[in-house]
Amino acid sequence: TTTNANFTAAGTTTLTNNATVSTGTGNVTFTGAVDGAKDLVVNSTGTTLFSAAVGGTTGLSSLTTNAGGTVTLQNVNTTGAQSYGENATLNGTSYTTANATFLASGTTTLTNNATVSTGTANVTFTGAVDGGQALTVNSTGATLFSGYWNAP
């Protein structure tokens, strides 16, 4: 936890316990891969940046970011839910859960063709989906787009 200061984890981060990173208005940056079968919560009204895959080697139990600010992500793999409370830029191509929900609460910008796979769980985009790239949703649960979708 910091008081409105930036947090940077350089290189690969391996979670050995559930973790919460809280920075107030400070930015959060993970420069390398983030792995480990644990929950990661990031609370920042600044910019949150994942520069490499999350759960690429060992899927996280869940990944949650709070409302306010922005989040930019590469590929993400979790066994539990993925919940992005602010505007999200999806720079990767794959966002996968193991029968757990995917929720993007703000505007979602796609910079590549992307696939969201949740097995039997729901997929929800409450804000606009933009970026002019293709989005594939693989889920036998409900899929909801509450905002507009700027399809390619």
Side-chain angles (χ1 to χ4, degrees):
T1 299
T2 70
T3 303
N4 302 323
N6 296 337
F7 170 89
T8 300
T12 299
T13 300
T14 302
L15 301 178
T16 57
N17 291 296
N18 294 336
T20 299
V21 176
S22 296
T23 62
T25 60
N27 299 326
V28 176
T29 303
F30 290 90
T31 64
V34 178
D35 286 303
K38 301 295 179 185
D39 298 327
L40 176 59
V41 176
V42 178
N43 296 318
S44 169
T45 57
T47 299
T48 299
L49 173 64
F50 292 92
S51 296
V54 174
T57 301
T58 302
L60 271 58
S61 295
S62 67
L63 177 60
T64 302
T65 64
N66 70 319
T70 61
V71 62
T72 301
L73 302 141
Q74 297 295 326
N75 295 336
V76 179
N77 179 37
T78 59
T79 57
Q82 293 179 33
S83 179
Y84 309 111
E86 66 273 276
N87 294 339
T89 299
L90 305 185
N91 285 337
T93 58
S94 176
Y95 302 86
T96 303
T97 74
N99 298 317
T101 59
F102 177 98
L103 170 64
S105 295
T107 297
T108 301
T109 302
L110 306 173
T111 63
N112 292 296
N113 294 339
T115 301
V116 174
S117 300
T118 61
T120 59
N122 298 341
V123 175
T124 303
F125 291 89
T126 59
V129 178
D130 207 354
Q133 303 294 323
L135 174 64
T136 301
V137 176
N138 295 323
S139 171
T140 58
T143 299
L144 174 65
F145 291 90
S146 297
Y148 72 86
W149 179 29
N150 184 10

